[in-house]
Amino acid sequence: MAPNPSDQYTSLPDEDEESWLKQSKPIRPPLNIRDGHVRLPNEKYVYQLTAFVSIGAFLFGYDQGVMGMIVADARWKDLMRPRNSWVTGAIISLLDLGSLLGALLLAPLADPLGRERALSLSGTLALIGALLQAAAPSLFLLGLGRVVLGIGVGVASGGVPLYVAEIAPAHLRGRVVALEQMVLCGGELVAFVADWGFARWDWEGWWRVPLGLQVLPAAVWAVGCWGWVLPSPRWLVGQGRRECAREVLVRLRGSVRAEEEMREIEREQEWERGVMQVGWGEMFRGAVGRVTALGMGVQFFQQITGTNSILYYAPTLFEKGGIRRAPTRNLATGGIGLVLFATSWIPIFIFDRLPRRTWLQLGTLGMMFSMLGIAALQSHAEQHPDDPANFSIVMFPYLFYVFFNLSWAVGSWTYAAEIFPLGMRAKGSALSTMSLWGACWVVAQATPVVEERVGWGLYIIYAGICVVALVFVRYAMVETRGRTLEEMSHIFGINRKLVSGDGVPADSEDEEGDDTKDSDSEG
């Protein structure tokens, strides 16, 4: 199974000339491997690649958690002098706005350059943004740094699950995305600990240190994704580099399964080229539009149900709940990071055991009751500000994140990364991630303003949104657990509806009908 040297740089007929940014490195068997040698599956390698590219998720989580304690600190306010809650919300939400732009860049980078090269470029942007934030002498430059950092994080937030979904076998897909989510929660925990520790420093610029700490992981990630991380085998097939793709699959799956999976990928790609037009306009039409709506919807609800409202503004939440001392509030906020990280390990072991929809429904119910608990205790604190029972409010944000980590934290990323057929997967991931960051921006910008107007009623609103999310999961989503990525066209009926001429075999419609029926019956 020696690769053909000429195959290493084969391009599709309509492909533009390769740039130096594009992944074009030859991928050959190790020198000690002889022709015909049977190589065994190597799931450990899948986990190693997932763990490394998940440094991008660490940066994502770190930036989600690092600003909440900073903007609540009196020294930061005295130094930066934000005029009102709108300005404070804007500083928080500029990361989300930049990330929305970054999400839109995912497909233009990941499709022509390669998944891992796109991640490397996003790491470089994250590094530049972190330096701008840490050195910012004004709110303007701090905001600019958050936008640049956000663009890098936006590419990473969609690119990491896209990559790990394409290298993982179907039975491990939920687990490796859960592993990525655990690293993300680890980033949030490190951010809380860094804030809590450096806030004790008697220096008005203490907050510059936690903002600058992320430079090191961003640099390591950018370099490693460029030079060490393997390209996606599915991307390689799309580039016409089949022998390279086969070698990557052999390293991940072993010789026997690699040949089977290679045939599946090639068959699916051949079908897609014959029947699909995958421009941006087609992403919103017909059967493909339905898949796009599901991907964008599941990511939108992941955020609009309130997770970042708690994460960004936890010190304020606890203050409104009757916890008056700032050190106590900061300690309770740090506890959120600990709960997030501790419970993020659970889905690694159990998420693939139940249907995606089952986890999402159970989690949504728990999140809804947690929001109602926060509202009830904030209302109680307004009437009884000195009641020691006010401290019980701490348990409800913690409970929220237990249910969130078991469901939406993993489920939305897994679902959005796996439902799109290969030819539209990068565009679909970009649109889904853009939807998530759009919801993040709304939550970050609106939370302080809405809370000023309605107080604890904010959390009643989030509980109501959870009800809408529950209806979406129950009646709109199609189950995908255990399905290969190449089956998604059949599950969602795309193979029947997106045809041109004789591009689809006659039996495709029947195959799709059976698969869709099976999928809808799960969960």
Side-chain angles (χ1 to χ4, degrees):
M1 195 168 59
N4 180 355
S6 64
D7 185 59
Q8 309 299 334
Y9 299 97
T10 301
S11 301
L12 297 178
D14 59 348
E15 190 176 356
D16 295 332
E17 184 179 352
E18 294 176 358
S19 72
W20 67 274
L21 291 171
K22 184 172 184 176
Q23 208 294 338
S24 56
K25 178 182 177 182
I27 304 165
R28 301 185 176 98
L31 295 176
N32 61 341
I33 299 297
R34 300 175 182 175
D35 291 348
H37 178 74
V38 176
R39 294 152 71 181
L40 299 176
N42 192 356
E43 289 186 356
K44 181 180 177 181
Y45 197 20
V46 176
Y47 289 125
Q48 288 172 342
L49 288 169
T50 299
F52 186 83
V53 298
S54 293
I55 294 175
F58 176 89
L59 294 172
F60 178 5
Y62 190 93
D63 289 308
Q64 292 275 34
V66 75
M67 285 300 292
M69 213 177 291
I70 290 174
V71 299
D73 187 84
R75 291 167 290 178
W76 181 85
K77 292 178 180 178
D78 291 341
L79 187 65
M80 290 296 179
R81 298 187 180 279
R83 294 180 182 178
N84 49 43
S85 59
W86 273 103
V87 175
T88 301
I91 290 298
I92 292 284
S93 64
L94 280 173
L95 176 80
D96 303 326
L97 187 60
S99 297
L100 190 152
L101 298 174
L104 287 175
L105 289 175
L106 175 60
L109 291 176
D111 274 343
L113 303 181
R115 306 336 191 191
E116 78 292 350
R117 288 291 168 92
L119 294 180
S120 179
L121 293 174
S122 73
T124 304
L125 286 171
L127 188 154
I128 295 170
L131 288 174
L132 282 172
Q133 278 192 123
S138 65
L139 281 175
F140 174 78
L141 289 176
L142 178 62
L144 178 62
R146 286 186 68 73
V147 171
V148 174
L149 178 64
I151 294 172
V153 169
V155 175
S157 62
V160 173
L162 169 65
Y163 177 79
V164 299
E166 289 190 346
I167 66 167
H171 70 283
L172 289 182
R173 198 181 307 126
R175 175 176 288 187
V176 294
V177 175
L179 177 62
E180 176 211 341
Q181 184 66 23
M182 181 271 291
V183 176
L184 186 154
C185 292
E188 292 170 342
L189 175 60
V190 171
F192 285 133
V193 172
D195 278 350
W196 180 80
F198 286 105
R200 300 161 68 89
W201 191 0
D202 187 19
W203 175 42
E204 65 178 9
W206 66 268
W207 48 273
R208 299 185 187 278
V209 181
L211 290 180
L213 285 177
Q214 54 196 309
V215 168
L216 180 59
V220 171
W221 187 52
V223 173
C225 285
W226 187 273
W228 177 72
V229 172
L230 286 174
S232 160
R234 289 169 169 84
W235 179 82
L236 287 167
V237 173
Q239 297 295 304
R241 297 168 58 191
R242 288 173 172 78
E243 292 303 323
C244 289
R246 182 174 285 106
E247 172 58 23
V248 171
L249 283 172
V250 169
R251 295 184 190 184
L252 298 172
R253 307 282 194 273
S255 302
V256 176
R257 178 54 191 155
E259 289 300 323
E260 297 172 359
E261 192 164 334
M262 191 70 189
R263 286 193 293 270
E264 292 177 14
I265 296 171
E266 289 180 325
R267 184 166 55 246
E268 180 69 13
Q269 285 219 353
E270 183 179 355
W271 175 82
E272 287 186 13
R273 289 186 189 132
V275 303
M276 284 190 186
Q277 301 293 325
V278 289
W280 287 101
E282 284 72 24
M283 295 298 297
F284 299 95
R285 298 174 187 167
V288 177
R290 177 197 179 195
V291 178
T292 301
L294 288 175
M296 295 181 71
V298 74
Q299 291 288 56
F300 181 80
F301 279 115
Q302 195 236 55
Q303 288 298 316
I304 206 68
T305 44
T307 175
N308 277 352
S309 179
I310 297 175
L311 193 65
Y312 288 158
Y313 301 106
T316 304
L317 182 157
F318 291 132
E319 183 179 13
K320 295 287 182 68
I323 302 178
R324 297 182 175 182
R325 295 185 67 251
T328 306
R329 292 196 301 269
N330 289 344
L331 187 62
T333 300
I336 289 178
L338 186 61
V339 170
L340 274 167
F341 182 68
T343 57
S344 68
W345 286 84
I346 301 174
I348 296 174
F349 303 102
I350 66 174
F351 185 76
D352 279 322
R353 296 185 181 183
L354 294 178
R356 316 298 197 218
R357 293 167 61 204
T358 299
W359 283 121
L360 292 175
Q361 290 176 80
L362 290 173
T364 306
L365 287 171
M367 290 155 56
M368 179 185 69
F369 285 117
S370 299
M371 287 297 191
L372 293 174
I374 292 172
L377 285 169
Q378 283 197 351
S379 174
H380 179 269
E382 283 184 1
Q383 303 171 35
H384 307 91
D386 298 318
D387 189 344
N390 290 338
F391 284 86
S392 61
I393 194 173
V394 172
M395 71 178 183
F396 284 102
Y398 293 1
L399 190 63
F400 176 94
Y401 283 116
V402 171
F403 284 103
F404 178 77
N405 264 354
L406 289 173
S407 56
W408 291 90
V410 176
S412 68
W413 289 107
T414 305
Y415 196 79
E418 68 187 359
I419 60 175
F420 293 96
L422 179 59
M424 61 186 69
R425 190 167 298 133
K427 291 184 177 70
S429 293
L431 290 169
S432 300
T433 308
M434 181 197 71
S435 174
L436 177 139
W437 284 111
C440 279
W441 181 82
V442 170
V443 168
Q445 184 65 56
T447 290
V449 180
V450 174
E451 192 170 41
E452 277 189 358
R453 301 285 180 85
V454 302
W456 51 264
L458 171 69
Y459 300 97
I460 300 292
I461 294 172
Y462 282 131
I465 295 173
C466 285
V467 174
V468 180
L470 192 64
V471 172
F472 171 81
V473 174
R474 180 66 183 86
Y475 296 103
M477 289 180 63
V478 175
E479 186 54 49
T480 56
R481 179 178 65 123
R483 302 286 189 161
T484 67
L485 297 181
E486 284 63 47
E487 290 182 275
M488 297 302 164
S489 294
H490 304 292
I491 291 174
F492 291 98
I494 295 173
N495 65 331
R496 176 170 55 87
K497 298 176 182 177
L498 273 186
V499 297
S500 59
D502 297 323
V504 179
D507 61 348
S508 289
E509 293 188 26
D510 295 336
E511 185 178 355
E512 176 272 320
D514 293 341
D515 284 349
T516 304
K517 188 180 299 183
D518 292 343
S519 299
D520 285 333
S521 67
E522 290 194 64

